[in-house]
């Protein structure tokens, strides 16, 4: 039994018609013709508390991104390529139409389907200013009117909506944080002075938690305390939480740097900083338009730039880096034990996807340091592996069958670091197609692991290196190559990323994932993921400051899926060196049975191929 993950089918398409019907009745009572339901909370978070899972409750769709637009006579659920199959399976298509974002954005759908003169409503706490600007343009194209609602209409009909979370707020030890909150605030205020802003509204709880060295437990998988902060250029900051969350330890840790204020006082505090008439920064990415409008209504000037904390947080200090290295060794040993167990048990045909999740979790728990998962484990056998964001449930659970691929993407939260690793394993014998695709994904992974690039390069500029081996065969994958990683915070952290949208320059100290993939719908999926650290590099004779990546993750890559004939000598040398490092780092951290398996799994490719 899993302590951290449930496998219940939490939603049902059959519930959709009744709930959407109730929402439409509420729209009619209020004189609205439609309502927008994003998958978001008041902080635009990826992981949201049960009380904010409005999209899932209303439509049945449980993905981490999507937007529903409910009109009087039609409705759509707009999702990106990760969730096309999932959306079709989870919603009642007779009532709500799944739409691929690549074909039609939410704004385009609104422009095409909202009738002239119609009034479309939205919750101003669930949309940023930029998002509302796009919606306003779309509604104007349709000849309608976009209006904020004074309450969320889903909440009105959601009679048994869960209460807001009240997990205790606790300090994050300086041994892991590596920098005091006072020093972080001093750096932050220097940046605020440069940007000429008198105050900063911190709407992203990750940024609040990092700045004040606090952690909580209000959402799954990320130790977040949900709340807000207002940080003035001078004077004490204000931290807005439900009073029930505040512990004596948190109060002692924050000390004179800030005062805790009940969350009920947040809007009044916005009025007060607005009345100063000064310029206030509200984060463009996570700041709700309700915050900006409240400040402006009181007389303040809103600067809708980026919260500078995000970039500060992305560059890890020495304590965070050393902690991550330690966490990855601990985690790698647990993953190695799992992979050895899987190789012994999976050929029986009796191991299910859920069994695999529970076994891997058990090995991590046995480290004695695991605090939580860093995200729900993706455990996909056969065709389920072809769903990049698959989440096993009791009804979807499959056995690991012979001659099929099994993909497991998992991670853990430790106080000293956050991990994320994907391994693709063959149970039995792979087909030639499987080996070809796996090897091309591996080549892309190696290209990122070994690349050196000039200072100032962003993730978009190197993303193509991961795709080139697949492109050469007319193939690709529909997700980014890498995302940023937090330090005992979110497993998906910005602004850094390796993707077509990765416009932030990579800086030494940033952590990212390296995870190219390939997915053959209905058959198999492949992804190979390690975490990497940006670090300085020197090239003899060069005249530029260069950067490269240190690989942080250590666990064997399945050599049975590798086709050596496709690889260059340099690629083979990297793989052999990586496996030598895996053996060297893990062999003393695992039991004798796992050690014997690990020694075989990390043999040089030429030896393994014989």
């Amino acid at each position: 039994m899993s302590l951290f993950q449930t496998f219940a089918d939490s939603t049902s398409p059959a519930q959709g018609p009744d709930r959407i019907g109730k929402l439409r009745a509420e729209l009619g009572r209020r004189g609205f013709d439609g309502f927008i339901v994003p998958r978001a909370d008041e902080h635009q978070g990826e992981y949201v508390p049960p009380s904010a899972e409005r999209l899932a409750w209303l439509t049945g769709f449980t993905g981490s991104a999507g937007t529903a637009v409910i009109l009087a006579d039609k409705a759509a659920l707009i999702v990106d390529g990760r969730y096309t199959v999932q959306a079709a399976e989870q919603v009642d298509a007779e009532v709500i139409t799944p739409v691929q974002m690549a074909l039609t954005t939410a704004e385009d759908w609104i422009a095409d389907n909202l009738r002239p003169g119609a009034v479309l409503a939205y919750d101003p706490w669930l949309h940023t200013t930029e998002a509302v600007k796009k919606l306003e343009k779309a509604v104007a194209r349709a000849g309608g009117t976009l209006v904020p609602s004074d309450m969320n209409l889903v909440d009105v009909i959601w009679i048994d909506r869960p209460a807001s979370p009240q997990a205790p707020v606790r300090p994050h030890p300086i041994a892991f944080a590596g920098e005091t909150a006072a020093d972080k605030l001093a750096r932050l205020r220097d940046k605020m002075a440069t940007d000429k802003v008198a105050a900063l509204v911190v709407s992203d709880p990750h940024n609040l938690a990092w700045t004040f060295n606090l952690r909580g437990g209000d959402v799954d998988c990320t130790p977040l305390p949900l709340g807000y902060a207002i940080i003035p250029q001078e004077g004490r900051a204000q931290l807005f939480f439900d009073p029930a969350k505040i512990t004596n330890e948190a109060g002692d840790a924050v000390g004179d740097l800030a005062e805790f204020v009940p969350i009920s006082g947040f809007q009044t505090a916005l009025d007060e900083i607005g009345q100063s008439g000064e310029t206030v920064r509200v984060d463009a990415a996570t700041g709700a338009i309700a915050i900006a409008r409240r400040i402006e209504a009181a007389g303040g000037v809103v600067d809708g730039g980026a919260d500078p904390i995000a970039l500060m947080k992305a560059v890890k200090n020495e304590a965070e880096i050393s902690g991550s290295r330690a966490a990855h060794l601990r985690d790698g040993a647990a993953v190695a034990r799992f992979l050895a167990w899987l190789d012994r048990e999976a050929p029986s045909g009796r191991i299910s996807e859920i069994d695999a999740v529970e076994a891997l979790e058990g090995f991590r728990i046995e480290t004695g340091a695991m605090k939580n998962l860093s995200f729900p484990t993706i455990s996909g056998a056969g065709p389920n592996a072809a769903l990049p964001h698959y989440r096993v449930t009791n009804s979807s659970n499959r056995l690991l069958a012979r001659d099929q691929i099994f993909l497991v993407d998992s991670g853990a939260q430790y106080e000293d670091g956050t991990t994320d690793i994907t391994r693709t394993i063959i149970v039995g014998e792979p087909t030639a197609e499987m080996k070809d695709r796996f090897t091309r994904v591996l080549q892309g992974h190696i290209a990122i692991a070994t690349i050196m690039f000039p200072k100032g390069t962003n993730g978009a500029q190197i993303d193509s290196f991961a795709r080139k081996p697949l492109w050469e065969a007319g193939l690709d994958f529909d997700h980014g190559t890498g995302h940023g990683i937090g330090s005992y915070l979110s497993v998906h952290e910005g602004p850094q990323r390796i993707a077509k949208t990765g416009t932030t320059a990579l800086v030494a100290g940033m952590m990212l994932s390296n995870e190219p993939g390939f997915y053959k719908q209905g058959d198999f999926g492949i992804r190979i993921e390690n975490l990497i650290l940006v670090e300085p590099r020197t090239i003899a004779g060069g005249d530029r400051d260069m950067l490269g990546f240190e690989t942080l993750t250590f666990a064997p890559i399945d050599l049975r899926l590798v086709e050596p004939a496709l690889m260059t000598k340099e690629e083979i040398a990297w793989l052999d060196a990586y496996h030598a490092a895996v053996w060297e780092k893990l062999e003393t951290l695992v039991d004798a049975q796992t050690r014997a398996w690990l020694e075989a799994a990390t043999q040089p490719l030429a030896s393994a191929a014989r």
Side-chain angles (χ1 to χ4, degrees):
M1 181 177 179
S2 172
L3 296 181
F4 298 107
Q5 187 166 337
T6 61
F7 309 105
D9 300 286
S10 57
T11 64
S12 168
Q15 297 170 333
D18 177 60
R19 292 174 179 178
I20 291 175
K22 290 179 179 177
L23 179 59
R24 284 176 169 149
E26 191 63 32
L27 290 173
R29 282 191 287 272
R30 294 172 181 268
F32 297 144
D33 299 291
F35 189 64
I36 305 169
V37 185
R39 200 283 181 172
D41 66 359
E42 292 79 358
H43 309 279
Q44 309 301 314
E46 176 185 8
Y47 294 108
V48 303
S51 57
E53 289 282 13
R54 298 176 179 93
L55 184 63
W57 181 85
L58 182 69
T59 69
F61 172 68
T62 60
S64 65
T67 300
V69 184
I70 311 300
L71 304 181
D73 58 346
K74 61 183 70 174
L77 171 66
I78 297 89
V79 297
D80 63 37
R82 298 172 296 170
Y83 294 117
T84 303
V85 175
Q86 181 177 337
E89 292 176 346
Q90 289 187 320
V91 306
D92 186 338
E94 294 294 321
V95 179
I96 187 165
T97 303
V99 176
Q100 293 186 44
M101 189 184 299
L103 302 177
T104 303
T105 65
E107 293 80 12
D108 287 340
W109 190 90
I110 289 168
D112 292 340
N113 291 276
L114 190 70
R115 63 174 177 79
V119 177
L120 182 63
Y122 70 99
D123 182 342
W125 286 97
L126 302 186
H127 300 263
T128 65
T129 298
E130 287 302 313
V132 171
K133 287 179 180 177
K134 292 179 181 179
L135 291 171
E136 287 174 338
K137 290 179 181 178
V139 172
R141 283 163 53 195
T145 304
L146 183 71
V147 300
S149 174
D150 59 357
M151 63 179 60
N152 192 292
L153 302 187
V154 174
D155 295 352
V156 174
I157 63 171
W158 190 356
I159 304 302
D160 57 350
R161 179 175 169 234
S164 297
Q166 294 186 337
V169 178
R170 301 192 185 281
H172 186 48
I174 190 65
F176 302 132
E179 184 179 12
T180 66
D183 287 344
K184 291 177 180 180
L185 284 169
R187 289 201 289 134
L188 173 61
R189 285 175 166 138
D190 286 344
K191 176 61 175 172
M192 290 168 60
T194 300
D195 291 349
K196 295 181 171 58
V197 295
L200 169 68
V201 177
V202 183
S203 48
D204 185 345
H206 302 85
N207 293 352
L208 187 163
W210 179 85
T211 302
F212 293 94
N213 291 336
L214 299 173
R215 296 297 187 267
D218 285 338
V219 300
D220 287 341
C221 301
T222 305
L224 275 187
L226 294 181
Y228 296 94
I230 296 177
I231 301 175
Q233 181 61 249
E234 296 180 359
R236 297 176 75 193
Q238 293 176 296
L239 305 183
F240 299 88
F241 293 113
D242 185 322
K245 298 179 184 181
I246 306 306
T247 61
N248 291 334
E249 297 91 337
D252 292 342
V254 170
D256 293 333
L257 296 175
E259 62 174 324
F260 287 101
V261 181
I263 190 67
S264 58
F266 180 55
Q267 296 190 53
T268 300
L270 295 176
D271 294 337
E272 291 172 355
I273 59 170
Q275 289 163 4
S276 71
E278 295 185 296
T279 300
V280 181
R281 172 69 58 84
V282 176
D283 183 33
T286 63
I289 192 171
I291 295 174
R293 287 182 172 168
R294 188 96 185 196
I295 294 170
E296 290 170 338
V301 177
V302 170
D303 174 333
D307 183 341
I309 298 171
L311 194 55
M312 293 169 59
K313 171 166 55 70
V315 180
K316 306 299 185 284
N317 59 46
E318 284 304 315
E320 292 169 323
I321 291 170
S322 61
S324 180
R325 289 178 180 139
H328 277 90
L329 291 182
R330 182 187 313 119
D331 200 64
V335 171
R337 292 182 64 196
F338 165 75
L339 293 174
W341 170 86
L342 192 74
D343 253 15
R344 294 192 302 270
E345 301 296 332
S348 70
R350 295 190 295 269
I351 300 300
S352 71
E353 295 167 338
I354 290 178
D355 292 332
V357 171
E358 293 176 340
L360 178 51
E361 182 181 303
F363 290 123
R364 283 188 165 121
I365 289 172
E366 288 177 11
T367 67
M370 180 185 180
K371 297 297 184 180
N372 202 340
L373 301 173
S374 58
F375 58 97
T377 300
I378 297 169
S379 173
N384 287 342
L387 304 174
H389 287 253
Y390 170 70
R391 183 171 177 177
V392 59
T393 66
N394 290 322
S395 62
S396 70
N397 190 27
R398 292 176 61 94
L399 293 174
L400 278 59
R402 289 194 63 84
D403 303 334
Q404 285 192 349
I405 274 176
F406 172 65
L407 184 153
V408 57
D409 185 350
S410 68
Q413 293 283 10
Y414 305 99
E415 276 194 292
D416 52 358
T418 300
T419 68
D420 183 1
I421 175 174
T422 306
R423 287 298 182 262
T424 304
I425 302 106
I426 185 66
V427 180
E429 295 296 324
T431 64
E433 180 187 31
M434 289 175 181
K435 294 182 69 172
D436 177 275
R437 303 311 190 241
F438 183 92
T439 305
R440 292 180 186 277
V441 171
L442 176 59
Q443 289 175 299
H445 180 96
I446 294 171
I448 297 299
T450 57
I451 192 172
M452 289 186 282
F453 51 92
K455 185 178 179 180
T457 300
N458 62 39
Q461 291 172 293
I462 67 175
D463 179 73
S464 299
F465 287 84
R467 301 176 189 273
K468 182 176 180 289
L470 289 165
W471 285 353
E472 289 172 345
L475 308 168
D476 204 356
F477 54 95
D478 293 328
H479 56 74
T481 299
H483 54 81
I485 300 287
S487 181
Y488 192 45
L489 276 174
S490 177
V491 75
H492 298 139
E493 179 179 275
Q496 74 276 25
R497 65 184 62 185
I498 303 173
K500 296 173 184 178
T501 55
T503 57
T504 297
L506 302 183
V507 177
M510 286 180 171
M511 293 181 186
L512 303 102
S513 65
N514 172 11
E515 51 178 312
F518 171 78
Y519 310 93
K520 183 179 181 181
Q521 188 170 332
D523 196 349
F524 63 87
I526 294 163
R527 190 162 61 253
I528 303 170
E529 178 186 19
N530 288 339
L531 299 192
I532 51 179
L533 170 70
V534 183
E535 62 178 4
R537 286 279 192 271
T538 300
I539 299 180
D543 64 357
R544 302 293 175 94
D545 292 333
M546 301 294 288
L547 298 169
F549 295 119
E550 172 192 341
T551 294
L552 297 170
T553 306
F554 294 96
I557 294 168
D558 195 342
L559 295 174
R560 296 166 297 189
L561 281 162
V562 176
E563 178 47 73
L566 289 176
M567 300 179 69
T568 66
K569 291 181 180 178
E570 292 77 13
E571 290 167 341
I572 292 173
W574 181 91
L575 182 60
D576 288 346
Y578 175 73
H579 274 146
V582 171
W583 168 252
E584 177 186 356
K585 291 177 181 296
L586 300 187
E587 60 106 359
T588 61
L589 303 179
V590 296
D591 58 275
Q593 189 175 28
T594 300
R595 190 177 304 116
W597 173 88
L598 183 67
E599 185 174 18
T602 56
Q603 289 295 305
L605 184 57
S607 301
R610 285 200 295 268

mmCIF file of all heavy atoms in Angstrom, residues 324-340:
data_model
loop_
_atom_site.group_PDB
_atom_site.id
_atom_site.type_symbol
_atom_site.label_atom_id
_atom_site.label_comp_id
_atom_site.label_asym_id
_atom_site.label_seq_id
_atom_site.Cartn_x
_atom_site.Cartn_y
_atom_site.Cartn_z
ATOM 1 N N SER A 324 21.887 18.365 -2.884
ATOM 2 C CA SER A 324 21.312 17.648 -4.019
ATOM 3 C C SER A 324 22.161 16.438 -4.394
ATOM 4 O O SER A 324 21.639 15.358 -4.673
ATOM 5 C CB SER A 324 21.175 18.583 -5.220
ATOM 6 O OG SER A 324 20.617 17.907 -6.323
ATOM 7 N N ARG A 325 23.473 16.616 -4.368
ATOM 8 C CA ARG A 325 24.346 15.471 -4.682
ATOM 9 C C ARG A 325 24.116 14.336 -3.696
ATOM 10 O O ARG A 325 24.041 13.159 -4.080
ATOM 11 C CB ARG A 325 25.802 15.920 -4.664
ATOM 12 C CG ARG A 325 26.188 16.828 -5.837
ATOM 13 C CD ARG A 325 27.626 17.278 -5.722
ATOM 14 N NE ARG A 325 28.020 18.141 -6.834
ATOM 15 C CZ ARG A 325 28.761 19.231 -6.711
ATOM 16 N NH1 ARG A 325 29.192 19.615 -5.503
ATOM 17 N NH2 ARG A 325 29.075 19.953 -7.775
ATOM 18 N N ALA A 326 24.014 14.672 -2.414
ATOM 19 C CA ALA A 326 23.777 13.643 -1.393
ATOM 20 C C ALA A 326 22.422 12.977 -1.594
ATOM 21 O O ALA A 326 22.287 11.746 -1.485
ATOM 22 C CB ALA A 326 23.876 14.261 0.005
ATOM 23 N N ALA A 327 21.403 13.781 -1.882
ATOM 24 C CA ALA A 327 20.062 13.239 -2.099
ATOM 25 C C ALA A 327 20.036 12.301 -3.291
ATOM 26 O O ALA A 327 19.367 11.256 -3.264
ATOM 27 C CB ALA A 327 19.063 14.377 -2.293
ATOM 28 N N HIS A 328 20.778 12.643 -4.346
ATOM 29 C CA HIS A 328 20.763 11.802 -5.544
ATOM 30 C C HIS A 328 21.491 10.473 -5.338
ATOM 31 O O HIS A 328 21.106 9.459 -5.925
ATOM 32 C CB HIS A 328 21.358 12.568 -6.728
ATOM 33 C CG HIS A 328 20.372 13.457 -7.404
ATOM 34 N ND1 HIS A 328 20.162 14.767 -7.033
ATOM 35 C CD2 HIS A 328 19.487 13.210 -8.409
ATOM 36 C CE1 HIS A 328 19.224 15.292 -7.793
ATOM 37 N NE2 HIS A 328 18.786 14.375 -8.621
ATOM 38 N N LEU A 329 22.522 10.473 -4.515
ATOM 39 C CA LEU A 329 23.168 9.194 -4.215
ATOM 40 C C LEU A 329 22.225 8.305 -3.409
ATOM 41 O O LEU A 329 22.083 7.103 -3.686
ATOM 42 C CB LEU A 329 24.469 9.423 -3.452
ATOM 43 C CG LEU A 329 25.615 10.076 -4.238
ATOM 44 C CD1 LEU A 329 26.852 10.202 -3.366
ATOM 45 C CD2 LEU A 329 25.919 9.254 -5.493
ATOM 46 N N ARG A 330 21.592 8.872 -2.412
ATOM 47 C CA ARG A 330 20.623 8.129 -1.600
ATOM 48 C C ARG A 330 19.486 7.603 -2.481
ATOM 49 O O ARG A 330 19.079 6.444 -2.392
ATOM 50 C CB ARG A 330 20.082 9.067 -0.522
ATOM 51 C CG ARG A 330 19.099 8.459 0.446
ATOM 52 C CD ARG A 330 18.511 9.542 1.348
ATOM 53 N NE ARG A 330 19.510 10.434 1.908
ATOM 54 C CZ ARG A 330 19.552 11.749 1.699
ATOM 55 N NH1 ARG A 330 18.632 12.327 0.946
ATOM 56 N NH2 ARG A 330 20.492 12.481 2.242
ATOM 57 N N ASP A 331 18.986 8.485 -3.337
ATOM 58 C CA ASP A 331 17.882 8.119 -4.203
ATOM 59 C C ASP A 331 18.318 7.097 -5.253
ATOM 60 O O ASP A 331 17.574 6.172 -5.584
ATOM 61 C CB ASP A 331 17.349 9.383 -4.893
ATOM 62 C CG ASP A 331 15.942 9.211 -5.432
ATOM 63 O OD1 ASP A 331 15.008 9.010 -4.622
ATOM 64 O OD2 ASP A 331 15.757 9.277 -6.666
ATOM 65 N N GLY A 332 19.526 7.276 -5.783
ATOM 66 C CA GLY A 332 20.025 6.337 -6.788
ATOM 67 C C GLY A 332 20.135 4.924 -6.237
ATOM 68 O O GLY A 332 19.847 3.942 -6.941
ATOM 69 N N ALA A 333 20.554 4.806 -4.975
ATOM 70 C CA ALA A 333 20.633 3.481 -4.361
ATOM 71 C C ALA A 333 19.248 2.857 -4.250
ATOM 72 O O ALA A 333 19.069 1.649 -4.502
ATOM 73 C CB ALA A 333 21.289 3.586 -2.990
ATOM 74 N N ALA A 334 18.253 3.666 -3.881
ATOM 75 C CA ALA A 334 16.883 3.146 -3.788
ATOM 76 C C ALA A 334 16.372 2.726 -5.167
ATOM 77 O O ALA A 334 15.721 1.676 -5.299
ATOM 78 C CB ALA A 334 15.969 4.210 -3.190
ATOM 79 N N VAL A 335 16.662 3.528 -6.189
ATOM 80 C CA VAL A 335 16.224 3.182 -7.548
ATOM 81 C C VAL A 335 16.934 1.924 -8.028
ATOM 82 O O VAL A 335 16.327 1.057 -8.676
ATOM 83 C CB VAL A 335 16.468 4.363 -8.506
ATOM 84 C CG1 VAL A 335 16.224 3.947 -9.956
ATOM 85 C CG2 VAL A 335 15.572 5.541 -8.147
ATOM 86 N N ALA A 336 18.212 1.771 -7.730
ATOM 87 C CA ALA A 336 18.938 0.567 -8.121
ATOM 88 C C ALA A 336 18.336 -0.671 -7.467
ATOM 89 O O ALA A 336 18.180 -1.725 -8.112
ATOM 90 C CB ALA A 336 20.417 0.699 -7.757
ATOM 91 N N ARG A 337 17.981 -0.561 -6.194
ATOM 92 C CA ARG A 337 17.329 -1.692 -5.524
ATOM 93 C C ARG A 337 16.012 -2.037 -6.205
ATOM 94 O O ARG A 337 15.680 -3.215 -6.380
ATOM 95 C CB ARG A 337 17.083 -1.356 -4.050
ATOM 96 C CG ARG A 337 18.347 -1.227 -3.208
ATOM 97 C CD ARG A 337 17.998 -0.937 -1.760
ATOM 98 N NE ARG A 337 17.262 -2.042 -1.156
ATOM 99 C CZ ARG A 337 16.562 -1.959 -0.026
ATOM 100 N NH1 ARG A 337 16.488 -0.782 0.602
ATOM 101 N NH2 ARG A 337 15.934 -3.000 0.455
ATOM 102 N N PHE A 338 15.278 -0.997 -6.604
ATOM 103 C CA PHE A 338 14.016 -1.221 -7.305
ATOM 104 C C PHE A 338 14.243 -1.899 -8.650
ATOM 105 O O PHE A 338 13.536 -2.859 -9.000
ATOM 106 C CB PHE A 338 13.297 0.104 -7.509
ATOM 107 C CG PHE A 338 12.175 0.042 -8.507
ATOM 108 C CD1 PHE A 338 10.965 -0.550 -8.174
ATOM 109 C CD2 PHE A 338 12.335 0.550 -9.793
ATOM 110 C CE1 PHE A 338 9.936 -0.628 -9.099
ATOM 111 C CE2 PHE A 338 11.313 0.480 -10.723
ATOM 112 C CZ PHE A 338 10.105 -0.109 -10.378
ATOM 113 N N LEU A 339 15.206 -1.410 -9.425
ATOM 114 C CA LEU A 339 15.435 -1.991 -10.750
ATOM 115 C C LEU A 339 15.894 -3.441 -10.647
ATOM 116 O O LEU A 339 15.516 -4.284 -11.479
ATOM 117 C CB LEU A 339 16.474 -1.155 -11.500
ATOM 118 C CG LEU A 339 16.035 0.266 -11.886
ATOM 119 C CD1 LEU A 339 17.197 1.045 -12.479
ATOM 120 C CD2 LEU A 339 14.862 0.225 -12.867
ATOM 121 N N ALA A 340 16.699 -3.745 -9.632
ATOM 122 C CA ALA A 340 17.117 -5.137 -9.422
ATOM 123 C C ALA A 340 15.912 -5.999 -9.070
ATOM 124 O O ALA A 340 15.759 -7.124 -9.584
ATOM 125 C CB ALA A 340 18.166 -5.198 -8.320
#
